[in-house]
């Protein structure tokens, strides 16, 4: 009996080890593939419109990265951003996102369209402490006007090192780049830290929007976030509005702007341009 048990244990161990090895090998392979995708430019930014509640017009876009996989087609960021963050590849990926986003924004500006562009970054980009000089360089090199670029960083990670973040974000804001706290309400912000962080925009997490028509507590939370933002002189953007009903409630609550499938899913640059810039002459720059 004892021998059998022992044997079983050894087998378990063998299985366990084989599983672990397979998992590690798979992870390394995924990392290698992702590194290659970044180096080969197998990435693409999709753009989702951001609409102003007051005017009903487009005010900007959010750029959302995707992978263009040779065999599998378009792969969404939820699949590879966590891997990029864990493996340290995120900084390289963010370099690509910044370069490509600014290149596209410049193209649109040169065609006479006025819009802001929000780029998603990781808190690891902020911690690397090169972000400020990188952004400064990018703005100068591209002669990008102030106040058109925004960066979005997820609430849950931004709150981890408020002092360090605050200093870095201040410098970035001095460049005329605004800072949004993404997925607001999904993390655990202390109000004290929120007050200390130089954030311009709170992006209200989609989880509070999706049931806002039926769940009064979601309405109360969103209303509270909007009031809080007002007190701290921050703007609010609602994420993930899918119905006219949600839009109406958000507008009545005093939210500044919104994004969501109700208007459009994130889409390739040319489609976004055709649908939201070409036909929307009111967004033309005064200078053109
Ligand atoms: P996020 O920045 O909060 O982006 C919003 C996500 O919600 C996007 O998913 C968007 O497609 C989706 N969404 C927008 N409107 C609706 C809606 O009405 N309904 C529903 N169901 N979903 C909606 P996506 O593009 O898959 O991005 C997921 C997350 O990946 C982003 O969340 C962001 O945290 C991260 N991410 C995307 N691009 C980048 C990037 O360039 N760099 C970094 N570091 N992270 C990125
Ligand atoms: Mg975002
Ligand atoms: Mg978000």
């Amino acid at each position: 009996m004892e021998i059998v048990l022992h044997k079983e244990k050894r087998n378990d161990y063998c299985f366990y080890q084989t599983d672990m090895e397979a998992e590690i090998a798979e992870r390394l392979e995924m990392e290698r593939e992702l590194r290659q995708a970044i180096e080969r430019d197998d990435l693409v930014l999709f753009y989702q419109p951001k609409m102003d509640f007051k005017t009903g017009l487009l005010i900007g876009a959010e750029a959302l990265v995707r992978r263009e996989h040779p065999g599998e087609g378009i792969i969404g960021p939820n699949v590879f951003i966590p891997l990029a963050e864990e493996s340290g590849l995120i900084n390289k990926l963010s370099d690509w996102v910044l370069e490509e986003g600014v290149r596209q924004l410049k193209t649109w500006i040169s065609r006479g369209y006025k819009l802001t562009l929000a780029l998603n970054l990781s808190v690891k980009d902020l911690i690397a402490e090169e972000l400020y000089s990188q952004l400064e360089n990018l703005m100068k090199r591209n002669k990008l006007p102030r106040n058109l670029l925004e960066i979005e960083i997820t609430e849950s990670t931004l709150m981890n090192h408020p002092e360090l973040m605050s200093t870095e974000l201040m410098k970035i804001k001095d460049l005329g780049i605004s800072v949004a706290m993404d997925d607001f309400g999904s993390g655990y912000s202390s109000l004290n830290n929120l007050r200390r962080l130089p954030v311009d925009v709170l992006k209200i997490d989609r989880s509070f929007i999706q049931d806002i028509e039926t769940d009064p507590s979601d309405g109360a939370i969103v209303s509270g976030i909007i009031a809080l933002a007002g007190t701290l002189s921050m703007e609010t953007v609602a994420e993930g509005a899918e119905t006219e009903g949600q839009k109406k409630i958000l507008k009545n609550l005093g939210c500044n702007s919104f994004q969501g499938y109700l208007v459009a899913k994130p889409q390739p640059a040319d489609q976004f341009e055709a649908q939201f810039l070409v036909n929307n002459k009111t967004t033309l720059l005064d200078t053109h």
Side-chain angles (χ1 to χ4, degrees):
M1 184 63 187
E2 220 191 322
I3 294 165
V4 174
L5 249 181
H6 188 62
K7 218 176 134 194
E8 269 179 7
K9 262 190 191 159
R10 274 180 51 186
N11 277 347
D12 271 2
Y13 175 70
C14 280
F15 277 131
Y16 178 67
Q17 203 179 25
T18 322
D19 279 359
M20 284 262 290
E21 276 168 11
E23 222 171 82
I24 291 169
E26 193 187 343
R27 222 191 118 87
L28 285 174
E29 174 59 17
M30 280 163 67
E31 260 182 57
R32 192 190 62 77
E33 260 196 37
L34 181 59
R35 178 174 290 111
Q36 212 173 51
I38 301 170
E39 282 162 4
R40 287 187 184 166
D41 246 15
D42 284 345
L43 298 170
V44 64
L45 290 181
F46 275 28
Y47 297 85
Q48 186 179 39
K50 180 161 67 179
M51 313 302 284
D52 184 45
F53 269 121
K54 243 190 227 137
T55 63
L57 297 173
L58 174 123
I59 40 171
E62 176 178 6
L64 295 147
V65 74
R66 275 98 181 86
R67 256 187 79 182
E68 284 182 310
H69 195 280
E72 291 171 36
I74 299 284
I75 303 178
N78 286 333
V79 179
F80 59 88
I81 293 285
L83 176 68
E85 294 201 326
E86 284 160 29
S87 64
L89 282 170
I90 191 72
N91 302 118
K92 259 180 175 243
L93 188 128
S94 297
D95 289 350
W96 185 92
V97 168
L98 284 168
E99 288 293 333
E100 175 57 18
V102 169
R103 187 200 63 73
Q104 184 61 65
L105 179 60
K106 262 197 75 176
T107 305
W108 283 331
I109 293 172
S110 73
R111 291 180 187 162
Y113 305 119
K114 187 186 181 189
L115 74 164
T116 59
L117 183 67
L119 299 169
N120 290 280
L121 293 178
S122 160
V123 82
K124 292 205 167 158
D125 298 313
L126 265 188
I127 293 171
E129 285 189 46
E130 283 150 20
L131 187 62
Y132 165 74
S133 34
Q134 195 181 357
L135 286 168
E136 186 184 34
N137 178 285
L138 199 65
M139 299 280 290
K140 275 193 187 148
R141 191 156 39 86
N142 289 286
K143 299 195 176 63
L144 201 65
R146 290 170 65 87
N147 306 326
L148 293 185
L149 205 60
E150 299 178 359
I151 60 167
E152 296 188 2
I153 299 177
T154 307
E155 177 202 18
S156 54
T157 56
L158 198 54
M159 286 296 184
N160 288 345
H161 317 271
E163 263 91 35
L164 175 66
M165 297 300 121
S166 170
T167 318
E168 283 305 299
L169 291 177
M170 272 300 202
K171 293 192 325 196
I172 290 169
K173 273 174 57 123
D174 282 346
L175 295 171
I177 296 173
S178 71
V179 177
M181 202 181 279
D182 210 343
D183 307 332
F184 187 76
S186 66
Y188 300 94
S189 287
S190 99
L191 294 181
N192 194 34
N193 286 345
L194 184 63
R195 185 171 57 88
R196 282 190 288 168
L197 279 171
V199 169
D200 307 283
V201 179
L202 296 183
K203 293 196 78 172
I204 307 169
D205 194 61
R206 188 168 66 86
S207 59
F208 302 113
I209 315 296
Q210 59 193 6
D211 298 324
I212 201 167
E213 288 168 281
T214 49
D215 189 341
S217 58
D218 283 342
I221 291 169
V222 172
S223 173
I225 295 175
I226 294 169
L228 177 68
T231 313
L232 297 171
S233 304
M234 296 171 183
E235 297 265 309
T236 45
V237 182
E239 297 185 311
E242 295 186 359
T243 68
E244 283 295 342
Q246 291 166 351
K247 181 180 150 187
K248 199 169 158 210
I249 294 172
L250 291 163
K251 188 177 180 185
N252 287 340
L253 289 175
C255 191
N256 298 110
S257 55
F258 75 100
Q259 294 175 226
Y261 293 175
L262 177 64
V263 178
K265 288 189 173 178
Q267 50 190 271
D270 53 348
Q271 275 180 36
F272 175 85
E273 181 172 339
Q275 192 177 347
F276 292 101
L277 301 180
V278 175
N279 297 320
N280 194 353
K281 299 294 179 198
T282 40
T283 61
L284 283 175
L285 275 176
D286 300 340
T287 47
H288 287 263

